[in-house]
Amino acid sequence: MSHFRGAPHQQQADALGLLAETALHSGIDPGAPGERYQVVVHVDAPALADPDQPSQSVLEDGAHVSAETSRRLACDASRVVMRHGRDGRVVEVAARTRTIPPALRRALHHRDHGCRFPGCGRRFGQGHHLRHWAQGGPTTLSNLALLCPRHHRAVHEEGYQLDRQPDGELRFRRPDGRPLPEVPPPLEVLGDPVKILRAQHDAEGLVLHARTAAPVWVGERLDAGWAIGVLHPLAR
């Protein structure tokens, strides 16, 4: 379970992206994954190295893209470096390369098996540079982690932090710096889970109904993210 949901319109965009990823990974198009669809973003080099630099990132139609969005897209994409003269004209175009080569991508998927964000595990992922390549970070297995599009955006654009510890383990932090705990894999349930859960409730004398989780103040929906954030430390 993710620790946050995002705005409804963003959830809808994520759902559409997941449908597209699922369709493409199911073999509808036999092309290479990096070439099945493309969104071209023109990014000034300073924007990749430092989002606070005065530079721009634009789509083909001229629409502007934030620097952090550009950095996220550049983590795992085709890259073409163009050099411009003082008058703005293109004077040199380098060959197109992949920021993460295919062989390294296969090793990354083999190691991570899916999104590494706590509680996610979605198998469709993007390679995230822990230290961005535009800042000198190497494109090596130790500097990469697999993140689904939703959580890749969370790390780049929503303030979530990710680094690798000396022992090789990943550490995730909330935007306020608090650590995100690891989420253990779900236990295998032998039998009908509904019957097992009801039997446990009966044994503990719990009576649950449709209004059990309704707050007692003015009836608004339970903020599950806030409740987990408050109760989880107490559970320890």
Side-chain angles (χ1 to χ4, degrees), residues 58-78:
V58 296
L59 300 177
E60 285 283 277
D61 62 2
H64 286 266
V65 178
S66 72
E68 273 301 340
T69 297
S70 300
R71 286 163 59 85
R72 169 171 57 86
L73 295 174
C75 255
D76 187 358
S78 294

Side-chain angles (χ1 to χ4, degrees), residues 75-231:
C75 255
D76 187 358
S78 294
R79 174 177 57 191
V80 176
V81 178
M82 295 188 296
R83 187 162 60 89
H84 296 259
R86 293 184 178 276
D87 59 358
R89 297 172 60 183
V90 177
V91 296
E92 185 178 353
V93 180
R96 183 173 63 177
T97 59
R98 293 288 303 175
T99 54
I100 302 177
L104 184 56
R105 171 179 298 282
R106 287 192 292 271
L108 176 63
H109 278 266
H110 178 75
R111 186 195 66 185
D112 288 357
H113 300 294
C115 178
R116 294 297 304 276
F117 197 93
C120 183
R122 185 173 297 163
R123 64 189 185 94
F124 302 141
Q126 301 167 342
H128 168 68
H129 284 73
L130 304 182
R131 176 175 172 80
H132 204 281
W133 58 263
Q135 294 177 315
T139 301
T140 58
L141 199 57
S142 61
N143 191 47
L144 292 172
L146 202 61
L147 296 174
C148 71
R150 172 70 188 96
H151 292 125
H152 199 189
R153 185 174 67 251
V155 170
H156 273 282
E157 293 147 82
E158 297 176 12
Y160 284 79
Q161 304 157 44
L162 168 60
D163 57 45
R164 193 177 298 280
Q165 298 301 291
D167 62 0
E169 293 298 319
L170 294 176
R171 178 180 62 182
F172 289 83
R173 292 186 177 276
R174 294 181 173 91
D176 61 7
R178 289 183 299 153
L180 271 173
E182 281 295 327
V183 178
L187 297 176
E188 183 180 2
V189 178
L190 302 177
D192 186 335
V194 175
K195 291 181 179 179
I196 294 174
L197 190 59
R198 284 177 175 170
Q200 291 176 345
H201 290 167
D202 292 342
E204 297 175 13
L206 297 178
V207 179
L208 305 180
H209 50 76
R211 298 291 298 172
T212 297
V216 295
W217 43 100
V218 294
E220 65 265 31
R221 294 179 61 184
L222 174 67
D223 186 337
W226 176 83
I228 292 172
V230 171
L231 295 176

